[in-house]
Amino acid sequence: MILFVLVTGFIGLVPSWFLLKLFVEKAPRTLLAIELLARALAPASWLAVTSLVSNSDPNPPQAIAQLLGLFIAFVAIPRMVSGPVSW
């Protein structure tokens, strides 16, 4: 199964490379803005995930906990997964 995941991930790099190359040719300023935004979210993502595992405040207000969960699920983790693409 590990071999399958590695081979599938390696084969998946080809269309990703093609689409990024096409995006650079068609809209370089938009790609630059997306890259800068992804890099700016790196510290916020790191702080959000580390605050999740730390026990500094075991009972934060419910609204903050829900927003933090949404941020981690939809921003922090995808940003961490797409990290190799932005290098």
Side-chain angles (χ1 to χ4, degrees):
M1 180 159 180
I2 294 172
L3 182 63
F4 173 75
V5 170
L6 290 174
V7 170
T8 306
F10 184 73
I11 292 172
L13 290 175
V14 174
S16 298
W17 174 78
F18 173 73
L19 290 174
L20 282 173
K21 188 170 174 73
L22 184 66
F23 200 34
V24 166
E25 292 174 5
K26 298 294 181 185
R29 289 186 183 191
T30 307
L31 181 63
L32 180 62
I34 292 170
E35 291 263 345
L36 288 175
L37 179 66
R39 290 184 187 263
L41 285 174
S45 300
W46 180 77
L47 287 172
V49 173
T50 55
S51 72
L52 178 71
V53 297
S54 70
N55 285 332
S56 60
D57 188 11
N59 296 321
Q62 186 176 3
I64 292 176
Q66 289 175 349
L67 288 176
L68 184 63
L70 286 173
F71 179 79
I72 289 172
F74 294 113
V75 177
I77 300 298
R79 193 260 170 238
M80 290 175 194
V81 170
S82 69
V85 174
S86 65
W87 286 100

